[in-house]
Structures are given as structure tokens and as C-alpha cells.
């Protein structure tokens, strides 16, 4: 069983109405109920169960994915989780747009991935979504913030509490506010 919902914003003026369709809002309501009852209170070792629930709501979920029960997910149908990635409790996946997390990538506790914002240069502050891509073997450390439209390269490590406003290169260690490359990291063989 899969539940599909509209992914696109439908209103360009947030002062006059919601940014998303009624169907999308209904989907998020249903997800909120299922998440509160069956996802967030599931025992920590039941990763397969949470993966099943995410798939039911349209997420692409690979094998051996570890999503912990304390993860907050806005719209599962905008998630693509590759094999053996891990998302720690307390992480927030604000998936107004697509969020892709690569094979064996890790998103630590309190990390905040935001795939949507508002265009403050236009009247009505219309919603703007832009995908986030986390490469294979990358690590987004605790309480890091990743802006919309960012690509974090393969094997890249984002330091704790970093604010990522630009794409980060493959196999580097990056940190800071704003986040920047600090040193190279040896590629895994």
C-alpha cells in the first residue's frame, strides 16, 4: 500500500492562502497521525517497521536503513533514503522539497535539513522548494543546519552546529557558520 500526495506548492501568495494543495495537507495530516501513533512510539530497534511506514507514505527507502523513532519528517513522499543510511533521533527532515540521503550516509541527532523557504523579494512571500542531496558516505553531524538547494558531496563530513549555505565538496571535512571546507578526508576504499 502506498499513499501519494501532491508535492508542489499551489499558491504564490502565503497571505491569501496555504502554499500546498488540499490533498498535500490531508496527506501531512494523515502522516502526522500515523507518525505520532505508529512511528514515534515504535521501539528503537524496529527500523524495518519505520521503513515500511515511510514506504507506505511514498518514501523511497533502501535496504538496511536506520531511521530512529525521534526523527521528525514533514512529508515522507519527498524522501529518498539509500541503502544503509542512518538518521538519528532528533533530526528534522523538513521535506517540503526532495531530500536525498546517500548510501551509508549519516544524519546525526538534531541536524536540520530544510528543503523549502520563502521568497522575501516578492509580495506574498511565495514558497520556494529546492532539493537537498547528501552524498554516499557523508556525515551531517549533530545540530548542523542545511539550507535548501544544497549538495553535500560524497564522503563529506559536516561539523556539529555548522550552517551549510553552499555546496560542499567530496571527501572533505567542513565546518563553521557559514560552513566551509577545512581539510581533505581520505576516500574510503
Amino acid at each position: 500500500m502506498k499513499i501519494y500526495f501532491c508535492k508542489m506548492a499551489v499558491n504564490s501568495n502565503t497571505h491569501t492562502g496555504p502554499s500546498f494543495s488540499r490533498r498535500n495537507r490531508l496527506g501531512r495530516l494523515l502522516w502526522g497521525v500515523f507518525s505520532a501513533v505508529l512511528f514515534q512510539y515504535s521501539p528503537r530497534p524496529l527500523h524495518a517497521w519505520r521503513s515500511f511506514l515511510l514506504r507506505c507514505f511514498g518514501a523511497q527507502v533502501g535496504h538496511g536503513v536506520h531511521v530512529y523513532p525521534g526523527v521528525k519528517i514533514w512529508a515522507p513522499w519527498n524522501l529518498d533514503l539509500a541503502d544503509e543510511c542512518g538518521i538519528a533521533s532528533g533530526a528534522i527532515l523538513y521535506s517540503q522539497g526532495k531530500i536525498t540521503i546517500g548510501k551509508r550516509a549519516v544524519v546525526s541527532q538534531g541536524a536540520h535539513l530544510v528543503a523549502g523557504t520563502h521568497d522575501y523579494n516578492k509580495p506574498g512571500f511565495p514558497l520556494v522548494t529546492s532539493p537537498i542531496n547528501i552524498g554516499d558516505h557523508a556525515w551531517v553531524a549533530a545540530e548542523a543546519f542545511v539550507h535548501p538547494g544544497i549538495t553535500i558531496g560524497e564522503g563529506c563530513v559536516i561539523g556539529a552546529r555548522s550552517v551549510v549555505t553552499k555546496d560542499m565538496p567530496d571527501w572533505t571535512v567542513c565546518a563553521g557558520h557559514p560552513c566551509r571546507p577545512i581539510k581533505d578526508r581520505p576516500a574510503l576504499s
Side-chain angles (χ1 to χ4, degrees), residues 84-113:
E84 300 176 355
C85 71
I87 304 171
S89 281
I92 298 170
L93 304 181
Y94 197 45
S95 52
Q96 290 179 311
K98 187 79 165 174
I99 296 177
T100 301
I101 300 175
K103 182 178 180 181
R104 292 194 172 180
V106 175
V107 176
S108 290
Q109 64 275 12
H112 201 136
L113 282 58

Side-chain angles (χ1 to χ4, degrees), residues 13-183:
N13 187 340
T14 59
H15 297 298
T16 62
S19 296
F20 289 91
S21 69
R22 184 172 288 138
R23 183 175 175 170
N24 181 284
R25 288 179 284 142
L26 175 62
R28 286 187 284 117
L29 176 67
L30 287 173
W31 167 246
V33 171
F34 275 78
S35 176
V37 175
L38 300 172
F39 188 93
Q40 293 177 357
Y41 289 104
S42 61
R44 287 177 62 87
L46 294 184
H47 300 296
W49 168 251
R50 287 183 293 279
S51 292
F52 167 75
L53 288 175
L54 290 170
R55 283 186 194 104
C56 287
F57 278 85
Q60 301 296 311
V61 182
H63 298 287
V65 170
H66 287 185
V67 177
Y68 285 85
V71 175
K72 293 191 182 339
I73 298 168
W74 195 79
W77 49 90
N78 283 337
L79 291 181
D80 189 348
L81 308 175
D83 294 346
E84 300 176 355
C85 71
I87 304 171
S89 281
I92 298 170
L93 304 181
Y94 197 45
S95 52
Q96 290 179 311
K98 187 79 165 174
I99 296 177
T100 301
I101 300 175
K103 182 178 180 181
R104 292 194 172 180
V106 175
V107 176
S108 290
Q109 64 275 12
H112 201 136
L113 282 58
V114 178
T117 187
H118 294 272
D119 186 348
Y120 57 83
N121 291 313
K122 294 183 179 175
F125 304 118
L127 178 70
V128 177
T129 63
S130 193
I132 293 174
N133 294 295
I134 309 295
D136 295 348
H137 306 285
W139 175 24
V140 178
E143 297 183 0
F145 186 94
V146 180
H147 279 255
I150 298 299
T151 296
I152 294 174
E154 180 179 356
C156 183
V157 174
I158 303 298
R161 293 205 166 178
S162 294
V163 177
V164 186
T165 59
K166 295 181 181 174
D167 293 350
M168 293 294 126
D170 295 347
W171 300 104
T172 56
V173 176
C174 307
H177 179 95
C179 190
R180 61 182 174 74
I182 295 173
K183 63 181 181 177

